[in-house]
Every structure is written in structure tokens, then in C-alpha cells.
Amino acid sequence: EHHHFLKNYLKITPPLMDQMVDAAKAAGALGCKIVGSGGGGCIVAICPNNHSEKIVHAIKASGAADAFAVKIIHGATLKQIEND
């Protein structure tokens, strides 16, 4: 919804960013967001499991200089070590 507002009402998104978002969504992305300052420099697309390769390909085909998938993990964990 945020991108839709920026694109269609404020008309401030660069055409390539719009193409990338549209391509990612058409390929199955759950949502996209332009990131960066002053007109955006990148997009982030949230992908369902096992769809990232298809979405990366679609973004590249839309004219993006590059695209890649990042897997989100749970992050660092704390393990308690018992003293003997």
C-alpha cells in the first residue's frame, strides 16, 4: 500500500524501481518496499518459501543491475555453559 501511494499519488518513485516492484509482485512476492534515500536505490521483496529464485530472476529481467536472495534466520542464540 505504501508503494502504491508513492507511485500513484505522489508520483515520486523512479520508473526502474516501479518496474522492479511490479516484476517481483507478478512473480509471487508477498510485498515489496523501496529502500534508500532520495528516490530509492534498492527494493526489498518478501518471498514465500521456495519462490526466491523466481523473484530474483524477475527483478533482474525488469532491468535491475543485480538481485540476490537473503535467507532470514533466527539470529544469535545464547547457550548457558555449566561450570564444573
Side-chain angles (χ1 to χ4, degrees):
E1 288 183 27
H2 183 256
H3 180 76
H4 176 78
F5 184 79
L6 295 175
K7 176 182 177 182
N8 296 306
Y9 295 101
L10 296 178
K11 301 186 186 302
I12 59 172
T13 58
L16 179 57
M17 297 289 116
D18 291 333
Q19 289 170 235
M20 292 164 56
V21 167
D22 293 343
K25 288 169 58 179
L30 300 174
C32 299
K33 176 71 174 93
I34 293 176
V35 296
S37 131
C42 299
I43 70 164
V44 173
I46 305 300
C47 309
N49 289 337
N50 303 320
H51 284 78
S52 61
E53 188 174 318
K54 179 180 177 185
I55 293 168
V56 165
H57 178 72
I59 293 170
K60 286 181 178 181
S62 75
D66 200 1
F68 53 91
V70 176
K71 183 177 180 180
I72 298 173
I73 60 171
H74 291 98
T77 59
L78 180 63
K79 181 179 178 182
Q80 186 173 355
I81 300 174
E82 294 182 26
N83 292 331
D84 289 327

